[in-house]
Amino acid sequence: MFCSLWTLLFLARGSMAFGWRPSGWGASGGRPSQWHAPHQEPLDAIIIGGGSAGTYTAIQLQKANKSLALIETQPRLGGHVNTYIDPYTNRTIDYGVQIFQNISVVRDYFSYLDIPIETATFGGDTKTIDLATKEVVTLDYGAIYAGLFEALPRFQAQQDKYPYLDNGFNLPSLVPEDLLLPFGEWLDKYNLSNVAYTLWQYDQGSGNLLDQPVLYVLKYSNRQSIANLAGGGYIQTVRRDNQEIYDHALEKLKDSTHLSSTVLDVQRSNGCVRVLVSTPQGKRFLEAKQLVLAIPPKIENLHFLDLNQEELGIFRQFNNSYYWNALLRNTGLPDNTSVGYIDSRAPLTIPAQPSTYIISSTGVAGLHSVFYGSDTYVPDEEVQNLMAEVARNAVKTLGLPPSGDMRFEGFHSHSPFVLTVPTDTIRDGFYSRAEALQGMRNTWYTGAAWQAQDSSAIWNFTEMVVLPRLLERLG
Ligand SMILES: Cc1cc2nc3c(=O)[nH]c(=O)nc-3n(C[C@H](O)[C@H](O)[C@H](O)COP(=O)(O)OP(=O)(O)OC[C@H]3O[C@@H](n4cnc5c(N)ncnc54)[C@H](O)[C@@H]3O)c2cc1C
Ligand SMILES: *[C@@H]1O[C@H](CO)[C@@H](O)[C@H](O)[C@H]1NC(C)=O
Ligand SMILES: *[C@@H]1O[C@H](CO)[C@@H](O)[C@H](O)[C@H]1NC(C)=O
Ligand SMILES: *[C@@H]1O[C@H](CO)[C@@H](O)[C@H](O)[C@H]1NC(C)=O
Ligand SMILES: *[C@@H]1O[C@H](CO)[C@@H](O)[C@H](O)[C@H]1NC(C)=O
Ligand SMILES: *[C@@H]1O[C@H](CO)[C@@H](O)[C@H](O)[C@H]1NC(C)=O
Ligand SMILES: *[C@@H]1O[C@H](CO)[C@@H](O)[C@H](O)[C@H]1NC(C)=O
Ligand SMILES: CC(=O)N[C@H]1CO[C@H](CO)[C@@H](O)[C@@H]1O
């Protein structure tokens, strides 16, 4: 009820801050309809970010009969999903998000969106190149798996010490020192080095794995994920079209979704959230009772937000890793052959960053996906050149004839990827202060920074932690 009273003040502020002039209102020069329209009830929630977390939140709020707006900068929902439709075979390839966890939250969500699932399979032949010698090495998979499966239960016993890491970062005020150790030291301490290489392959994009605080590794490789690795199995979509998850969600949400839209300003006061958004149809002014931020909360992404000192103090501290993927046609590598990497001179043979994780077969003739990570900034153009070079070198190392017409069918930066803070900052209670922001100033937070780079775990976190409190607030 306070919303309307503040509208004009907000519009005045918006017009000053962004040079809002009548001539700039929409292509026709008309005014936003909200300017004159008598105020309707504010929406229940405005969600900023239509990736994994924001789309899930929107669908669940809609199911609970709440009114909402979902704002996404891209012309599609889905965030890190990259689905390519091969024009030659009409087959789809997911070279972004690929696998999910077999948990009820995921099964229910996919069933609601009519997305059939099956147990994930990882096929094909992997050649491993040693970056130190630039030669193909034959790995003794029997010994590797024996070591891994001996160590996994001991790894799980360590995870079980921290059940509060399942959802969110609910760290005790005295953060266990083990969680702050660099992962490499912790592996030595508990004789768990046999899990290292496999976790490096799974925890892609998280920077230098062995240097990271154990906390982040246990968040990414959470208990459910390790259980899948140890035997339960991941799941994948039968139609191998993960964009379809989001396209089906969009069909349900289309009246509430603003794609290709940019948030210009957010004002939160007196129990009301006011958002000024630039849409392809012109500027829109939205009001809601609650705000959900489902974007990476790096300070440079939040210029539109009326941050207070507490929020600023949290968001300005995030560091991040960098992650890229690409789809290459005609690399010269055989179909169904993937190329992995070790560095025999590096600790636990894990290649130092920046590095290629894998050149992966896709199951579709002529196409391979490539994944590249760094803990420091690298310009996208340089990464793209490095990926091409890595593919050419792999072909050469495998003794195959070079390809004359290799080309990129897709290339994406997914940075900022994993958001982290330094060890001392964790010890000083960063995450207690961050978690305390939930619900403050009618604002809620979800997404990878609050859980991990794992869609399934993000949906579970959203379902179990964020939505119950948000719905309670909405009454
Ligand atoms: C290559 C790759 C492979 C992956 N594979 C898997 C996998 O197999 N399984 C798995 O579970 N996870 C996987 N992940 C991780 C998973 O994608 C992420 O954990 C998940 O997408 C994070 O969800 P999110 O909602 O936090 O962020 P995102 O999905 O990135 O969503 C954020 C959204 O907000 C939008 N946005 C940003 N800023 C604004 C703004 N100012 N206004 C409006 N919108 C904005 C973005 O465009 C984006 O759509 C993978 C990630 C990558 C990059
Ligand atoms: C939402 O509304 C529909 C139709 O009015 C109703 O059937 C359903 O029970 C409501 N759901 C909730 C969660 O209130
Ligand atoms: C391509 O595949 C889609 C999805 O399976 C299908 O709907 C469409 O008809 C196919 N198109 C062609 C040209 O085969
Ligand atoms: C998911 O797990 C259940 C057992 O909890 C199993 O019955 C089912 O087959 C699994 N689903 C898939 C797609 O693997
Ligand atoms: C470490 O674990 C390996 C098995 O992975 C075992 O052979 C070895 O004895 C263990 N070392 C110590 C010091 O416990
Ligand atoms: C890859 O291997 C699978 C299973 O062996 C086979 O069905 C498929 O045709 C192969 N794909 C290509 C592109 O060779
Ligand atoms: C999902 O949430 C429940 C309840 O908090 C938790 O017990 C479980 O471990 C979570 N599962 C995953 C995969 O995150
Ligand atoms: C916000 C930010 O970038 N913080 C830190 C990231 O990591 C480097 C190296 O540890 C620090 O110097 C930054 O201050």
Side-chain angles (χ1 to χ4, degrees), residues 12-49:
R13 183 190 177 280
S15 76
M16 284 187 287
F18 300 100
W20 233 33
R21 292 195 177 82
S23 59
W25 289 345
S28 63
R31 297 181 157 213
S33 55
Q34 285 85 351
W35 180 263
H36 290 300
H39 262 283
Q40 299 147 354
E41 277 289 288
L43 297 164
D44 287 311
I46 292 170
I47 302 159
I48 300 180

Side-chain angles (χ1 to χ4, degrees), residues 102-103 107 117-120 232-236:
N102 184 3
I103 55 174
R107 288 192 302 264
I117 52 174
E118 64 188 16
T119 307
Y234 293 88
I235 57 176
Q236 65 192 7

Side-chain angles (χ1 to χ4, degrees), residues 298 315-320 422:
K298 287 274 291 184
F315 301 135
R316 65 150 55 115
Q317 298 199 55
F318 278 121
N319 259 294
N320 66 272

Side-chain angles (χ1 to χ4, degrees), residues 54 103 163 173 206 233 237 240 299 314 319 322 327 332 349 374 402 411 443:
I103 55 174
S173 51
S206 60
T237 57
R240 301 291 208 290
I299 202 78
I314 296 296
N319 259 294
Y322 302 81
L327 191 66
T349 74
S374 178
F411 173 84
T443 306

Side-chain angles (χ1 to χ4, degrees), residues 285-306:
F285 176 68
L286 304 170
E287 290 177 331
K289 296 171 188 159
Q290 305 289 320
L291 178 69
V292 180
L293 274 183
I295 61 176
K298 287 274 291 184
I299 202 78
E300 21 326 4
N301 290 349
L302 299 173
H303 53 83
F304 56 78
L305 194 60
D306 56 344

Side-chain angles (χ1 to χ4, degrees), residues 335-336 363-365:
D335 295 332
N336 278 354
V364 177

Side-chain angles (χ1 to χ4, degrees), residues 150 154 191 194:
E150 181 282 321
R154 293 188 294 112
N191 193 20
N194 281 339

Side-chain angles (χ1 to χ4, degrees), residues 63-90:
K63 270 172 115 174
N65 292 340
K66 301 299 175 193
S67 56
L68 65 103
L70 173 61
I71 303 169
E72 167 58 50
T73 47
Q74 299 295 312
R76 62 173 180 100
L77 297 178
H80 295 307
V81 166
N82 297 122
T83 306
Y84 176 76
I85 304 171
D86 178 34
Y88 300 98
T89 59
N90 193 32

